[in-house]
Structure formats: structure tokens, C-alpha cells
Amino acid sequence: MPNYYSDNWKAIALAIKEQNNWCCQCCGKQCYQPQEKLAGYNRRNWAGDILQVHHRNHNPADNRPSNLIPVCAACHLNLHRGGYSSVTEGQLSMW
């Protein structure tokens, strides 16, 4: 399977997350940074608070800042609804 992400994707994604103070730009949820220790978090809490970076035009090769938005995992799943991925209603109901 081809990799459409650039070699520096991790650095690009980190910069987008930091520029937005680790906050989901869809729902406003404050997400955690990877080095934070989350006492009392179960797997569902932990997974839902991961901040990801979404490509607005669904093209992972287009890393212009205007095409990138930081979103929590639940919002990211929701953004990929409607034919852009294999996300199911069952996966969305987890959040």
C-alpha cells in the first residue's frame, strides 16, 4: 500500500497541534500532549482525547497549513463519514 504522507508528516502535524494549543477545532475539546500522564483514564477516555490532524480536502499529500486542521479522534471519524473512509456508524457510536 503506498504511503501518501510526506516524510516530515510527524513534524508538520506536531506544529499544527501546537499552534492550536492541543485543542480540537471542531468541538473545542482540550486534548492531551503525548508526554502527559493521564491518571484515571481508561482506554475509551484516552483514545477519544488524542488530537489528530485532518486534511480538509482529504488529500494527505497536500500539507498546506490552510488544508490542515487539528481535531479530536471522535471529530476526525465524523469528518471522514460519507465515502472518504471505511468509518462505520458503530465506530462513531463509540464516542
Coordinates of all heavy atoms in Angstrom, one line a residue:
M1 N 0.8 -1.2 0.0 CA 0.0 0.0 0.0 C 0.9 1.2 0.0 O 1.8 1.4 0.8 CB -0.9 0.0 1.2 CG -1.8 1.2 1.4 SD -2.9 1.0 2.8 CE -4.3 1.6 2.0
P2 N 0.6 2.2 -0.9 CA 1.5 3.4 -1.0 C 1.3 4.3 0.2 O 0.2 4.4 0.8 CB 1.1 4.0 -2.3 CG -0.3 3.5 -2.6 CD -0.4 2.2 -1.9
N3 N 2.4 5.0 0.6 CA 2.3 6.0 1.7 C 2.2 7.4 1.0 O 3.1 7.8 0.4 CB 3.5 5.9 2.5 CG 3.5 6.9 3.7 OD1 2.5 7.5 3.9 ND2 4.6 7.0 4.4
Y4 N 1.1 8.0 1.2 CA 0.8 9.3 0.6 C 1.3 10.5 1.5 O 1.3 11.6 1.1 CB -0.6 9.5 0.3 CG -1.1 8.5 -0.8 CD1 -1.9 7.4 -0.4 CD2 -0.7 8.6 -2.1 CE1 -2.3 6.5 -1.3 CE2 -1.2 7.7 -3.0 CZ -2.0 6.7 -2.6 OH -2.4 5.7 -3.6
Y5 N 1.7 10.2 2.7 CA 2.2 11.2 3.6 C 3.6 11.6 3.4 O 4.4 10.7 3.1 CB 2.0 10.8 5.1 CG 0.5 10.7 5.5 CD1 -0.2 9.5 5.2 CD2 -0.1 11.8 6.0 CE1 -1.6 9.4 5.6 CE2 -1.5 11.7 6.3 CZ -2.2 10.5 6.1 OH -3.5 10.5 6.4
S6 N 4.0 12.8 3.6 CA 5.4 13.2 3.4 C 6.2 12.7 4.5 O 5.8 12.3 5.6 CB 5.4 14.8 3.3 OG 5.1 15.3 4.6
D7 N 7.5 12.7 4.2 CA 8.5 12.1 5.2 C 8.5 13.0 6.5 O 8.8 12.4 7.6 CB 9.9 12.1 4.6 CG 10.0 11.1 3.5 OD1 9.2 10.1 3.5 OD2 11.0 11.2 2.7
N8 N 8.1 14.2 6.4 CA 8.1 15.1 7.6 C 6.7 15.3 8.2 O 6.5 16.3 8.9 CB 8.8 16.4 7.3 CG 8.0 17.2 6.2 OD1 7.2 16.7 5.5 ND2 8.3 18.5 6.2
W9 N 5.8 14.4 7.9 CA 4.4 14.5 8.4 C 4.3 14.7 9.9 O 3.6 15.5 10.4 CB 3.6 13.3 7.9 CG 2.2 13.3 8.5 CD1 1.7 12.4 9.4 CD2 1.2 14.3 8.4 NE1 0.5 12.8 9.8 CE2 0.1 14.0 9.2 CE3 1.1 15.5 7.6 CZ2 -1.0 14.8 9.3 CZ3 0.0 16.3 7.7 CH2 -1.1 15.9 8.6
K10 N 5.1 13.9 10.6 CA 5.0 14.0 12.1 C 5.4 15.4 12.6 O 4.7 15.9 13.5 CB 5.9 13.0 12.8 CG 5.4 11.5 12.6 CD 6.3 10.6 13.4 CE 5.7 9.2 13.3 NZ 6.5 8.2 14.0
A11 N 6.4 16.0 12.0 CA 6.7 17.4 12.4 C 5.7 18.4 12.0 O 5.3 19.3 12.7 CB 8.1 17.7 11.7
I12 N 5.1 18.2 10.8 CA 4.0 19.1 10.3 C 2.8 19.0 11.2 O 2.3 20.0 11.7 CB 3.6 18.7 8.9 CG1 4.7 19.1 7.9 CG2 2.3 19.4 8.5 CD1 4.5 18.5 6.5
A13 N 2.4 17.7 11.6 CA 1.2 17.5 12.4 C 1.5 18.1 13.8 O 0.6 18.7 14.4 CB 0.9 16.0 12.5
L14 N 2.7 17.9 14.4 CA 3.0 18.4 15.7 C 2.9 20.0 15.7 O 2.3 20.6 16.6 CB 4.4 18.0 16.1 CG 4.9 18.5 17.5 CD1 4.0 18.0 18.6 CD2 6.3 18.1 17.7
A15 N 3.4 20.6 14.6 CA 3.3 22.1 14.6 C 1.9 22.5 14.5 O 1.5 23.5 15.2 CB 4.1 22.6 13.3
I16 N 1.0 21.9 13.8 CA -0.4 22.3 13.7 C -1.1 22.1 15.1 O -1.8 23.0 15.5 CB -1.1 21.4 12.6 CG1 -0.6 21.7 11.2 CG2 -2.6 21.6 12.7 CD1 -0.8 23.1 10.7
K17 N -0.8 21.0 15.8 CA -1.3 20.8 17.1 C -0.9 21.9 18.1 O -1.7 22.4 18.8 CB -1.0 19.4 17.6 CG -1.6 18.3 16.8 CD -0.9 16.9 17.2 CE -1.4 15.8 16.3 NZ -0.8 14.5 16.7
E18 N 0.4 22.2 18.0 CA 1.0 23.2 19.0 C 0.4 24.6 18.7 O 0.1 25.3 19.6 CB 2.5 23.2 18.9 CG 3.1 21.9 19.5 CD 4.6 21.8 19.4 OE1 5.2 22.5 18.5 OE2 5.2 21.0 20.2
Q19 N 0.3 24.9 17.4 CA -0.3 26.2 17.0 C -1.7 26.4 17.5 O -2.1 27.5 17.7 CB -0.2 26.4 15.5 CG 1.1 26.6 14.9 CD 1.1 26.4 13.4 OE1 0.1 26.3 12.7 NE2 2.3 26.4 12.8
N20 N -2.4 25.3 17.7 CA -3.8 25.4 18.2 C -3.9 24.9 19.6 O -5.0 24.6 20.1 CB -4.6 24.6 17.2 CG -4.8 25.2 15.9 OD1 -5.6 26.1 15.7 ND2 -3.9 24.8 14.9
N21 N -2.8 25.0 20.4 CA -2.8 24.7 21.8 C -3.5 23.3 22.1 O -4.2 23.2 23.1 CB -3.5 25.8 22.6 CG -2.7 27.1 22.4 OD1 -1.5 27.1 22.6 ND2 -3.4 28.2 22.1
W22 N -3.3 22.3 21.3 CA -3.8 21.0 21.5 C -5.3 21.0 21.7 O -5.8 20.2 22.5 CB -3.0 20.3 22.7 CG -1.6 20.1 22.3 CD1 -0.6 21.0 22.4 CD2 -1.0 19.0 21.7 NE1 0.6 20.5 22.0 CE2 0.4 19.2 21.5 CE3 -1.5 17.7 21.4 CZ2 1.2 18.3 21.0 CZ3 -0.7 16.8 20.8 CH2 0.7 17.1 20.6
C23 N -6.0 21.8 21.0 CA -7.4 21.9 21.1 C -8.1 21.5 19.8 O -7.7 22.0 18.7 CB -7.8 23.3 21.5 SG -9.5 23.6 21.8
C24 N -9.2 20.7 19.9 CA -9.9 20.3 18.7 C -10.6 21.5 18.1 O -11.3 22.2 18.8 CB -11.0 19.2 19.0 SG -12.0 18.7 17.7
Q25 N -10.5 21.7 16.8 CA -11.0 22.9 16.2 C -12.5 22.6 15.7 O -13.1 23.5 15.1 CB -10.2 23.3 15.0 CG -8.8 23.8 15.4 CD -8.8 24.9 16.4 OE1 -9.2 26.0 16.1 NE2 -8.4 24.6 17.6
C26 N -13.0 21.4 16.0 CA -14.4 21.2 15.6 C -15.3 21.3 16.9 O -16.3 22.0 16.9 CB -14.6 19.7 15.1 SG -14.0 19.6 13.4
C27 N -14.9 20.6 18.0 CA -15.8 20.6 19.2 C -15.2 21.4 20.3 O -15.9 21.6 21.3 CB -16.0 19.2 19.6 SG -14.6 18.3 20.3
G28 N -13.9 21.8 20.2 CA -13.3 22.6 21.3 C -12.7 21.8 22.4 O -12.2 22.3 23.4
K29 N -12.7 20.5 22.3 CA -12.2 19.6 23.4 C -10.7 19.9 23.5 O -9.9 19.9 22.5 CB -12.4 18.1 23.0 CG -11.8 17.2 24.1 CD -11.9 15.7 23.6 CE -13.2 15.2 23.9 NZ -13.4 13.8 23.6
Q30 N -10.2 20.0 24.8 CA -8.8 20.2 25.0 C -8.2 18.8 25.1 O -8.6 17.9 25.9 CB -8.6 20.9 26.4 CG -7.1 21.1 26.7 CD -6.5 22.1 25.7 OE1 -7.1 23.2 25.4 NE2 -5.4 21.7 25.2
C31 N -7.3 18.5 24.2 CA -6.7 17.2 24.1 C -5.3 17.2 24.8 O -4.8 18.2 25.1 CB -6.5 16.7 22.7 SG -8.1 16.5 21.8
Y32 N -4.8 16.0 25.1 CA -3.5 15.9 25.8 C -2.4 15.8 24.9 O -2.5 15.5 23.7 CB -3.6 14.7 26.8 CG -3.6 13.4 26.1 CD1 -2.5 12.7 25.7 CD2 -4.9 12.8 25.8 CE1 -2.5 11.5 25.0 CE2 -4.9 11.6 25.2 CZ -3.8 10.9 24.8 OH -3.8 9.7 24.1
Q33 N -1.2 16.2 25.4 CA 0.0 16.1 24.7 C 0.6 14.7 25.0 O 0.4 14.1 26.0 CB 1.0 17.1 25.1 CG 0.5 18.5 24.8 CD 1.4 19.6 25.2 OE1 2.6 19.5 25.1 NE2 0.9 20.7 25.6
P34 N 1.4 14.1 24.0 CA 1.8 12.7 24.2 C 2.6 12.4 25.5 O 2.5 11.3 26.0 CB 2.7 12.5 23.0 CG 2.2 13.5 22.0 CD 1.7 14.7 22.8
Q35 N 3.3 13.4 26.0 CA 4.1 13.1 27.2 C 3.3 13.3 28.5 O 3.8 12.9 29.6 CB 5.3 14.1 27.2 CG 5.0 15.5 27.5 CD 4.7 16.3 26.2 OE1 4.4 15.7 25.2 NE2 4.6 17.6 26.4
E36 N 2.1 13.7 28.4 CA 1.3 13.8 29.6 C 0.8 12.5 30.2 O 0.5 11.6 29.4 CB 0.0 14.7 29.3 CG 0.3 16.1 29.1 CD -1.0 16.9 28.9 OE1 -1.6 17.3 29.8 OE2 -1.4 17.0 27.7
K37 N 0.8 12.4 31.5 CA 0.4 11.2 32.2 C -1.1 11.4 32.6 O -1.4 12.4 33.2 CB 1.2 10.9 33.4 CG 2.7 10.7 33.0 CD 3.2 9.5 33.8 CE 4.7 9.5 33.5 NZ 5.2 8.3 32.9
L38 N -1.9 10.5 32.2 CA -3.4 10.7 32.4 C -3.9 9.7 33.5 O -4.4 8.7 33.2 CB -4.1 10.5 31.1 CG -3.6 11.4 30.0 CD1 -4.3 11.1 28.7 CD2 -4.0 12.9 30.3
A39 N -3.7 10.1 34.7 CA -4.2 9.2 35.8 C -5.7 9.0 35.8 O -6.4 10.0 35.6 CB -3.8 9.9 37.2
G40 N -6.1 7.8 35.9 CA -7.5 7.5 36.0 C -8.2 7.4 34.6 O -9.4 7.2 34.5
Y41 N -7.5 7.6 33.5 CA -8.0 7.4 32.2 C -8.2 6.0 31.8 O -7.2 5.2 32.0 CB -7.2 8.1 31.2 CG -7.6 9.5 30.8 CD1 -8.0 10.4 31.7 CD2 -7.7 9.9 29.4 CE1 -8.4 11.7 31.3 CE2 -8.1 11.1 29.1 CZ -8.4 12.0 30.0 OH -8.8 13.3 29.6
N42 N -9.3 5.6 31.3 CA -9.4 4.3 30.7 C -9.2 4.4 29.2 O -9.0 5.5 28.7 CB -10.8 3.6 31.0 CG -12.0 4.4 30.4 OD1 -11.8 5.0 29.4 ND2 -13.1 4.4 31.1
R43 N -9.2 3.2 28.5 CA -8.8 3.2 27.1 C -9.8 4.1 26.3 O -9.3 4.8 25.4 CB -8.9 1.8 26.6 CG -8.4 1.7 25.1 CD -8.4 0.3 24.7 NE -8.0 0.2 23.3 CZ -6.8 0.0 22.8 NH1 -5.8 -0.1 23.7 NH2 -6.6 -0.1 21.6
R44 N -11.1 4.2 26.6 CA -12.0 5.0 25.9 C -11.7 6.5 26.0 O -11.7 7.2 25.1 CB -13.4 4.7 26.3 CG -14.4 5.5 25.5 CD -15.8 5.2 25.9 NE -16.7 5.9 25.0 CZ -18.0 6.1 25.3 NH1 -18.5 5.5 26.3 NH2 -18.7 6.8 24.5
N45 N -11.4 6.9 27.3 CA -11.1 8.3 27.5 C -9.8 8.7 26.8 O -9.7 9.7 26.2 CB -10.9 8.6 29.0 CG -12.1 8.4 29.8 OD1 -12.1 7.7 30.8 ND2 -13.2 8.9 29.4
W46 N -8.8 7.8 26.9 CA -7.5 8.1 26.3 C -7.6 8.2 24.8 O -7.2 9.1 24.2 CB -6.6 6.9 26.7 CG -5.2 7.0 26.0 CD1 -4.2 7.8 26.4 CD2 -4.8 6.3 24.9 NE1 -3.1 7.6 25.6 CE2 -3.5 6.7 24.6 CE3 -5.4 5.4 24.0 CZ2 -2.8 6.2 23.5 CZ3 -4.7 4.9 22.9 CH2 -3.4 5.3 22.7
A47 N -8.3 7.2 24.2 CA -8.4 7.2 22.7 C -9.2 8.4 22.2 O -8.9 9.0 21.2 CB -9.1 5.9 22.2
G48 N -10.3 8.8 22.9 CA -11.1 9.9 22.5 C -10.4 11.3 22.6 O -10.8 12.3 22.0
D49 N -9.4 11.4 23.4 CA -8.7 12.7 23.6 C -7.4 12.8 22.8 O -6.6 13.7 23.1 CB -8.4 12.9 25.1 CG -9.7 13.2 25.9 OD1 -10.7 13.4 25.3 OD2 -9.6 13.3 27.1
I50 N -7.2 11.9 21.9 CA -6.0 12.0 21.1 C -6.3 13.1 20.0 O -7.3 13.0 19.3 CB -5.7 10.7 20.4 CG1 -5.2 9.6 21.4 CG2 -4.6 10.8 19.3 CD1 -5.1 8.2 20.9
L51 N -5.4 14.0 19.8 CA -5.5 15.0 18.8 C -4.9 14.5 17.5 O -3.7 14.1 17.5 CB -4.9 16.4 19.3 CG -5.3 17.6 18.4 CD1 -6.8 17.9 18.5 CD2 -4.5 18.8 18.9
Q52 N -5.6 14.7 16.4 CA -5.1 14.2 15.1 C -5.2 15.4 14.2 O -5.7 16.5 14.5 CB -6.0 13.1 14.6 CG -6.0 11.9 15.5 CD -7.0 10.8 15.1 OE1 -7.8 11.0 14.2 NE2 -6.9 9.7 15.8
V53 N -4.6 15.3 13.0 CA -4.6 16.4 12.0 C -5.4 15.9 10.8 O -5.0 14.9 10.2 CB -3.2 16.9 11.7 CG1 -3.3 18.0 10.6 CG2 -2.5 17.5 13.0
H54 N -6.4 16.6 10.4 CA -7.2 16.3 9.3 C -6.9 17.1 8.1 O -6.6 18.3 8.2 CB -8.7 16.5 9.7 CG -9.7 16.4 8.6 ND1 -10.0 15.1 8.0 CD2 -10.4 17.3 7.9 CE1 -10.9 15.3 7.1 NE2 -11.2 16.6 7.0
H55 N -6.9 16.5 6.9 CA -6.7 17.2 5.7 C -8.1 17.6 5.2 O -8.9 16.7 4.8 CB -6.0 16.3 4.6 CG -4.6 16.1 4.9 ND1 -4.2 15.1 5.8 CD2 -3.4 16.7 4.5 CE1 -2.8 15.1 5.8 NE2 -2.4 16.0 5.1
R56 N -8.4 18.9 5.1 CA -9.7 19.3 4.7 C -10.1 18.8 3.3 O -11.3 18.4 3.1 CB -9.8 20.9 4.6 CG -9.6 21.5 6.0 CD -9.6 23.0 5.8 NE -9.1 23.7 7.0 CZ -10.0 24.3 7.8 NH1 -11.2 24.3 7.7 NH2 -9.5 24.9 8.9
N57 N -9.2 18.7 2.4 CA -9.6 18.2 1.1 C -9.3 16.7 0.9 O -9.4 16.2 -0.2 CB -8.8 19.0 0.0 CG -7.3 18.7 0.0 OD1 -6.8 17.9 0.8 ND2 -6.6 19.4 -0.9
H58 N -9.0 16.0 2.0 CA -8.8 14.6 2.1 C -7.7 14.1 1.2 O -7.6 12.9 0.9 CB -10.1 13.8 1.7 CG -11.3 14.2 2.5 ND1 -11.5 13.6 3.7 CD2 -12.3 15.1 2.4 CE1 -12.6 14.1 4.3 NE2 -13.1 15.0 3.5
N59 N -6.7 15.0 0.9 CA -5.5 14.6 0.2 C -4.3 14.7 1.1 O -3.8 15.8 1.4 CB -5.3 15.6 -1.0 CG -4.1 15.3 -1.8 OD1 -3.3 14.4 -1.5 ND2 -3.9 16.1 -2.8
P60 N -3.8 13.5 1.6 CA -2.7 13.5 2.5 C -1.4 14.1 1.9 O -0.4 14.3 2.7 CB -2.5 12.0 2.9 CG -3.2 11.3 1.8 CD -4.2 12.2 1.2
A61 N -1.3 14.3 0.7 CA -0.1 14.9 0.1 C -0.2 16.4 0.1 O 0.9 17.1 -0.1 CB 0.1 14.4 -1.4
D62 N -1.3 17.0 0.4 CA -1.5 18.5 0.4 C -1.4 19.0 1.9 O -2.3 19.0 2.6 CB -2.9 18.8 -0.1 CG -3.1 20.3 -0.2 OD1 -2.3 21.1 0.3 OD2 -4.2 20.7 -0.7
N63 N -0.2 19.4 2.2 CA 0.1 19.8 3.6 C 0.2 21.3 3.8 O 0.9 21.8 4.7 CB 1.4 19.1 4.1 CG 1.2 17.6 4.2 OD1 0.2 17.2 4.6 ND2 2.2 16.9 3.8
R64 N -0.5 22.0 2.9 CA -0.5 23.5 3.2 C -1.2 23.7 4.5 O -2.2 23.1 4.8 CB -1.3 24.2 2.0 CG -0.7 24.1 0.7 CD -1.6 24.7 -0.4 NE -2.7 23.7 -0.5 CZ -4.0 24.1 -0.6 NH1 -4.3 25.4 -0.6 NH2 -5.0 23.2 -0.7
P65 N -0.8 24.7 5.3 CA -1.4 24.9 6.6 C -2.9 25.2 6.5 O -3.7 24.8 7.4 CB -0.7 26.2 7.1 CG 0.7 26.0 6.5 CD 0.4 25.5 5.1
S66 N -3.3 25.8 5.4 CA -4.8 26.1 5.2 C -5.6 24.9 5.0 O -6.8 24.9 5.1 CB -5.0 27.1 4.1 OG -4.5 26.5 2.9
N67 N -4.9 23.8 4.7 CA -5.6 22.5 4.4 C -5.6 21.6 5.7 O -6.3 20.5 5.7 CB -5.0 21.8 3.3 CG -5.8 20.5 2.8 OD1 -7.0 20.6 2.7 ND2 -5.1 19.4 2.6
L68 N -5.0 22.0 6.7 CA -4.8 21.1 7.9 C -5.5 21.7 9.1 O -5.5 22.9 9.4 CB -3.3 21.0 8.2 CG -2.5 20.4 7.1 CD1 -1.0 20.5 7.5 CD2 -2.9 19.0 6.7
I69 N -6.2 20.8 9.8 CA -7.0 21.2 11.0 C -6.8 20.2 12.1 O -7.0 19.0 11.8 CB -8.5 21.5 10.6 CG1 -9.3 21.9 11.9 CG2 -9.1 20.3 10.0 CD1 -10.7 22.3 11.6
P70 N -6.5 20.6 13.3 CA -6.4 19.7 14.4 C -7.8 19.3 14.9 O -8.6 20.2 15.2 CB -5.5 20.4 15.5 CG -5.8 21.8 15.2 CD -6.1 22.0 13.7
V71 N -8.0 18.0 15.1 CA -9.3 17.5 15.6 C -9.1 16.3 16.5 O -8.2 15.6 16.3 CB -10.2 17.2 14.4 CG1 -10.6 18.4 13.6 CG2 -9.6 16.1 13.5
C72 N -10.0 16.2 17.4 CA -10.0 15.0 18.3 C -10.4 13.8 17.5 O -10.9 13.9 16.4 CB -10.9 15.2 19.5 SG -12.7 15.2 19.1
A73 N -10.1 12.6 18.0 CA -10.3 11.4 17.3 C -11.8 11.2 16.9 O -12.1 10.8 15.8 CB -9.9 10.2 18.1
A74 N -12.7 11.6 17.8 CA -14.1 11.4 17.5 C -14.6 12.4 16.4 O -15.3 11.9 15.4 CB -15.0 11.7 18.7
C75 N -14.1 13.6 16.4 CA -14.4 14.5 15.3 C -13.8 14.1 14.0 O -14.4 14.2 12.9 CB -14.0 15.9 15.6 SG -15.1 16.7 16.9
H76 N -12.6 13.5 14.1 CA -11.9 13.1 12.9 C -12.7 11.9 12.2 O -12.9 11.9 11.0 CB -10.5 12.6 13.2 CG -9.6 12.6 12.0 ND1 -8.3 12.1 12.1 CD2 -9.7 13.1 10.7 CE1 -7.7 12.3 10.9 NE2 -8.5 12.8 10.1
L77 N -13.2 11.0 13.0 CA -14.0 9.9 12.5 C -15.2 10.5 11.8 O -15.6 10.1 10.7 CB -14.5 9.0 13.6 CG -13.4 7.9 14.0 CD1 -14.0 7.2 15.2 CD2 -13.1 7.0 12.9
N78 N -15.9 11.5 12.4 CA -17.1 12.1 11.9 C -16.8 12.8 10.5 O -17.6 12.8 9.6 CB -17.7 13.1 12.9 CG -19.1 13.4 12.6 OD1 -19.9 12.6 12.1 ND2 -19.4 14.7 12.8
L79 N -15.6 13.5 10.4 CA -15.3 14.2 9.2 C -15.0 13.2 8.1 O -15.2 13.6 6.9 CB -14.0 15.0 9.4 CG -14.2 16.3 10.3 CD1 -12.8 16.8 10.7 CD2 -15.0 17.3 9.6
H80 N -14.7 12.0 8.3 CA -14.5 11.0 7.3 C -15.7 10.2 6.9 O -15.6 9.3 6.1 CB -13.3 10.1 7.7 CG -12.0 10.7 7.4 ND1 -11.3 10.6 6.2 CD2 -11.2 11.5 8.2 CE1 -10.2 11.2 6.3 NE2 -10.1 11.8 7.5
R81 N -16.8 10.6 7.5 CA -18.1 10.0 7.1 C -18.4 10.3 5.7 O -18.0 11.4 5.2 CB -19.2 10.5 8.0 CG -20.0 9.6 8.7 CD -21.1 10.3 9.3 NE -21.0 10.3 10.8 CZ -22.1 10.3 11.5 NH1 -23.3 10.4 11.0 NH2 -21.9 10.3 12.8
G82 N -19.2 9.5 5.0 CA -19.7 9.9 3.7 C -18.8 9.6 2.5 O -18.8 10.3 1.6
G83 N -18.1 8.5 2.6 CA -17.4 8.0 1.5 C -15.9 8.2 1.4 O -15.2 7.8 0.6
Y84 N -15.4 9.0 2.4 CA -13.9 9.3 2.4 C -13.1 8.2 3.2 O -11.9 8.2 3.2 CB -13.6 10.6 3.0 CG -14.1 11.7 2.0 CD1 -15.2 12.5 2.3 CD2 -13.4 12.0 0.8 CE1 -15.6 13.5 1.4 CE2 -13.7 13.0 0.0 CZ -14.8 13.7 0.3 OH -15.2 14.7 -0.6
S85 N -13.8 7.3 3.8 CA -13.1 6.2 4.5 C -14.1 5.1 4.9 O -15.3 5.2 4.5 CB -12.5 6.8 5.8 OG -13.5 7.0 6.8
S86 N -13.6 4.1 5.6 CA -14.4 3.0 5.9 C -15.0 3.1 7.3 O -15.3 2.1 8.0 CB -13.6 1.7 5.8 OG -12.5 1.8 6.6
V87 N -15.2 4.3 7.8 CA -15.7 4.5 9.1 C -17.2 4.0 9.2 O -18.0 4.4 8.3 CB -15.7 6.0 9.5 CG1 -16.4 6.2 10.9 CG2 -14.2 6.4 9.6
T88 N -17.6 3.3 10.2 CA -18.9 2.8 10.3 C -19.7 3.5 11.4 O -19.1 4.2 12.3 CB -18.9 1.3 10.6 OG1 -18.4 1.1 11.9 CG2 -18.1 0.5 9.6
E89 N -21.0 3.4 11.4 CA -21.8 4.0 12.4 C -21.4 3.4 13.8 O -21.4 4.1 14.8 CB -23.3 3.8 12.2 CG -23.8 4.6 11.0 CD -23.7 6.1 11.2 OE1 -23.9 6.6 12.4 OE2 -23.3 6.8 10.3
G90 N -21.1 2.1 13.8 CA -20.6 1.5 15.1 C -19.4 2.2 15.6 O -19.3 2.4 16.8
Q91 N -18.4 2.5 14.8 CA -17.2 3.2 15.3 C -17.6 4.5 15.8 O -17.1 4.9 16.8 CB -16.2 3.3 14.1 CG -15.5 2.0 13.8 CD -14.6 2.2 12.6 OE1 -15.1 2.5 11.5 NE2 -13.4 1.9 12.7
L92 N -18.4 5.2 15.1 CA -18.8 6.6 15.6 C -19.6 6.6 16.9 O -19.4 7.5 17.7 CB -19.6 7.3 14.5 CG -18.9 7.7 13.3 CD1 -19.8 8.2 12.2 CD2 -17.9 8.8 13.6
S93 N -20.3 5.5 17.1 CA -21.1 5.4 18.4 C -20.2 5.2 19.6 O -20.7 5.4 20.7 CB -22.2 4.3 18.3 OG -21.5 3.1 18.3
M94 N -19.0 4.8 19.4 CA -18.1 4.7 20.5 C -17.8 6.0 21.2 O -17.4 6.0 22.3 CB -16.7 4.1 20.0 CG -16.9 2.6 19.5 SD -15.4 2.0 18.7 CE -14.1 2.3 19.9
W95 N -18.0 7.1 20.5 CA -17.6 8.4 21.1 C -18.9 9.0 21.5 O -19.2 10.0 21.9 CB -16.9 9.2 20.0 CG -15.8 8.5 19.4 CD1 -15.8 8.0 18.1 CD2 -14.6 8.0 19.9 NE1 -14.7 7.3 17.9 CE2 -13.9 7.3 19.0 CE3 -14.0 8.2 21.2 CZ2 -12.6 6.8 19.2 CZ3 -12.7 7.7 21.4 CH2 -12.1 6.9 20.4

